[in-house]
Amino acid sequence: MGPFRFNSDNYRKLLERYIATEDESSLYQAEQFSKLSMQNNISPEEIINIHIQSLKELYPDLPKEIDSSLNFLLETMISYGLAYQEFQTLREKQG
Amino acid sequence: MGPFRFNSDNYRKLLERYIATEDESSLYQAEQFSKLSMQNNISPEEIINIHIQSLKELYPDLPKEIDSSLNFLLETMISYGLAYQEFQTLREKQG
């Protein structure tokens, strides 16, 4: 893998590798991914969205129950996304 | 269902109902749940954790790939959880 970049393709590749290997280094990459995504002002519900899309690309026959459950999770993250935007505004004010 | 309360049993029940019905009112309950969980200082990665536990209780034979994928998602949310704690501290300072 080349230099680490923030994009959904990269998330899918990291996720795929973690599912196949369950190695700690992939989990470390997940952590790095989220730090980078925060630097890019990506909100938590966008991460959930990228996760859902990645999972659907990896498993086109994802069981309907799993698909529904992820929609539900996405909905719970929307309020957190709004709080996260407010946090960014507060942090900018603090300079 | 009685008065709305914040706890993981309630999350599981709401999730179960949404998976069965996919109705808008369950999604609305998801939104209410997250607002309440924010009032209770629950961080986003704790929501992911509650989601994982609920899904495992509803589907004890959850495919290994799905289980692994959720661990990966949990890891990406840890940085957001730290930011969320910082946000709460900032907001308290602002009074």
Side-chain angles (χ1 to χ4, degrees):
Chain A
M1 207 175 293
F4 188 81
R5 283 157 175 265
F6 170 78
N7 63 46
S8 58
D9 272 357
N10 213 317
Y11 184 91
R12 194 191 61 245
K13 284 177 196 165
L14 291 175
L15 176 63
E16 188 173 22
R17 196 173 64 178
Y18 177 69
I19 291 172
T21 63
E22 291 198 320
D23 63 344
E24 285 297 315
S25 75
S26 302
L27 276 190
Y28 174 75
Q29 297 267 19
E31 192 193 328
Q32 296 304 103
F33 183 91
S34 66
K35 284 183 180 165
L36 206 52
S37 64
M38 286 173 69
Q39 284 167 23
N40 283 272
N41 296 334
I42 302 295
S43 67
E45 88 270 21
E46 285 177 89
I47 295 284
I48 308 287
N49 217 4
I50 290 172
H51 182 81
I52 295 173
Q53 296 316 314
S54 298
L55 209 56
K56 285 185 178 177
E57 285 168 32
L58 293 174
Y59 304 102
D61 297 324
L62 200 65
K64 191 187 151 297
E65 294 80 7
I66 303 299
D67 191 9
S68 297
S69 76
L70 290 165
N71 280 342
F72 189 85
L73 180 62
L74 183 61
E75 193 73 20
T76 63
M77 276 297 137
I78 290 173
S79 303
Y80 282 90
L82 294 172
Y84 184 67
Q85 281 167 19
E86 196 189 327
F87 164 64
Q88 285 172 324
T89 309
L90 276 179
R91 199 160 49 176
E92 278 162 23
K93 272 188 195 162
Q94 305 249 324
Chain B
M1 204 174 295
F4 188 83
R5 282 156 177 266
F6 171 78
N7 63 45
S8 59
D9 274 355
N10 213 319
Y11 185 91
R12 193 190 62 245
K13 284 176 195 165
L14 292 173
L15 175 63
E16 187 172 25
R17 195 172 66 178
Y18 177 68
I19 291 172
T21 64
E22 291 199 321
D23 62 343
E24 286 297 315
S25 75
S26 302
L27 276 190
Y28 174 75
Q29 297 266 22
E31 193 193 328
Q32 296 305 105
F33 183 91
S34 66
K35 284 181 179 166
L36 206 52
S37 64
M38 285 172 68
Q39 285 167 23
N40 284 273
N41 295 335
I42 303 295
S43 67
E45 88 270 22
E46 284 177 89
I47 295 284
I48 307 287
N49 217 4
I50 290 171
H51 181 82
I52 294 173
Q53 296 315 315
S54 298
L55 209 56
K56 284 184 179 177
E57 284 168 32
L58 293 174
Y59 304 102
D61 298 324
L62 201 65
K64 192 188 150 296
E65 294 80 6
I66 303 299
D67 192 9
S68 297
S69 76
L70 289 166
N71 280 343
F72 189 85
L73 180 62
L74 183 61
E75 193 73 19
T76 62
M77 276 298 137
I78 290 172
S79 303
Y80 282 91
L82 294 172
Y84 184 68
Q85 283 167 19
E86 195 189 328
F87 165 64
Q88 285 172 322
T89 309
L90 274 179
R91 200 159 49 176
E92 278 162 21
K93 273 189 195 162
Q94 305 248 325

